[in-house]
Amino acid sequence: MTRILHIDSSSRPGRSDQKQHGSHTRRLTAQFMQNWLAKRPDTEIIYRDVGANPPQPTTGDWVHAAFTPPDDREDWMHAALRESDQLVDELLSADIIVAGVPMYNFGMPAQMKAWVDNIVRVGRTFGFDRSRDGVPYWPMITDNKSIVVLSSRGDYGYDKGGRIDHMNFVEGGVFTPLQYIGITDQFGAAIEYDEFADDRTQTSIKQAEDKVIELVDQLIAKHDASKAA
């Protein structure tokens, strides 16, 4: 049975297809899940709304605890890492991560960055040994997980090769750290022209929704083949 970790990180409540000024990314992640479940109703879903309930940002105590060997941790260290442990457990248990990540000032929302910082964990999702020959870091996630980032942008031209792709730090901000810990199977779709509120916006929404449907079919085929192998 496939398990999907569904993350929403928009500060906006509601979906743009159901509520005025609702979230485009919540709309896209909901559409992904609806299309997926219509074809694979036995899928287990883990839902995490970091937009409404942001993880605690990392602190000096968090860093101290994370870099202390587990057997040497004091009680306060376990407490400092409790939420991070839960987030890492959710990630490790999932086959697919579907994340709604809007663009805020060219990057991801702070609440999504807090999630990323909590799951990139020494000893849990990446290894580190300063005495190791070559690169002292290595990814610890070795199963065939996929990450889908569904985004939205007020302007246009942020896709690779676009007029302002150099100003887009959303997908790279998510994909790079997840690739670092071993999640290299990466996909995405995005709505643009949101601030224009005209026909271009509606066209971009339709194109993103069509892409989501394609991604569902692509990932179902990919993960079915992987489980059959």
Side-chain angles (χ1 to χ4, degrees):
M1 180 179 65
T2 301
R3 182 179 288 119
I4 295 179
L5 173 58
H6 172 187
I7 301 171
D8 281 319
S9 65
S10 175
S11 298
R12 294 188 180 193
R15 295 160 36 183
S16 62
D17 54 338
Q18 296 181 342
K19 179 179 180 179
Q20 187 177 21
H21 306 306
S23 164
H24 287 320
T25 59
R26 291 180 185 273
R27 173 180 185 161
L28 292 180
T29 61
Q31 184 186 48
F32 185 102
M33 299 311 304
Q34 289 164 5
N35 278 274
W36 184 285
L37 290 171
K39 298 178 179 182
R40 292 294 184 274
D42 62 338
T43 301
E44 182 178 345
I45 308 300
I46 306 167
Y47 183 61
R48 174 70 63 170
D49 190 341
V50 302
N53 300 288
Q56 289 295 311
T58 58
T59 63
D61 284 348
W62 188 101
V63 174
H64 186 174
F67 278 86
T68 298
D71 291 343
D72 296 334
R73 287 177 188 153
E74 300 176 25
D75 289 345
W76 69 264
M77 294 180 175
H78 291 291
L81 295 174
R82 186 168 295 120
E83 183 179 40
S84 173
D85 283 334
Q86 183 179 1
L87 297 175
V88 171
D89 288 345
E90 290 174 354
L91 175 70
L92 294 178
S93 71
D95 301 295
I96 300 170
I97 303 97
V98 177
V101 189
M103 176 180 282
Y104 290 176
N105 302 313
F106 310 107
M108 75 181 83
Q111 48 266 42
M112 186 66 187
K113 183 60 164 63
W115 180 85
V116 170
D117 289 342
N118 272 278
I119 59 91
V120 179
R121 273 275 302 278
V122 64
R124 293 218 59 193
T125 58
F126 76 91
F128 170 70
D129 182 353
R130 64 173 57 90
S131 66
R132 185 171 182 251
D133 288 339
V135 179
Y137 302 91
W138 67 92
M140 294 182 69
I141 295 179
T142 58
D143 55 351
N144 189 30
K145 299 186 190 300
S146 301
I147 171 71
V148 180
V149 170
L150 302 176
S151 190
S152 63
R153 309 148 184 170
D155 201 352
Y156 67 97
Y158 288 104
D159 285 332
K160 188 174 182 180
R163 66 184 182 90
I164 50 174
D165 67 344
H166 64 287
M167 298 171 68
N168 180 2
F169 300 98
V170 174
E171 285 83 357
V174 179
F175 288 155
T176 299
L178 265 64
Q179 180 173 337
Y180 177 79
I181 63 176
I183 304 175
T184 59
D185 198 40
Q186 302 174 337
F187 305 87
I191 293 170
E192 295 196 316
Y193 296 98
D194 182 42
E195 292 173 356
F196 292 76
D198 57 19
D199 290 345
R200 290 171 293 181
T201 312
Q202 297 306 312
T203 298
S204 186
I205 289 172
K206 177 65 166 56
Q207 290 172 342
E209 289 179 330
D210 289 346
K211 181 67 178 295
V212 164
I213 293 171
E214 291 175 8
L215 287 174
V216 167
D217 291 339
Q218 183 178 352
L219 282 165
I220 284 176
K222 180 180 181 63
H223 282 265
D224 282 356
S226 175
K227 290 180 184 298

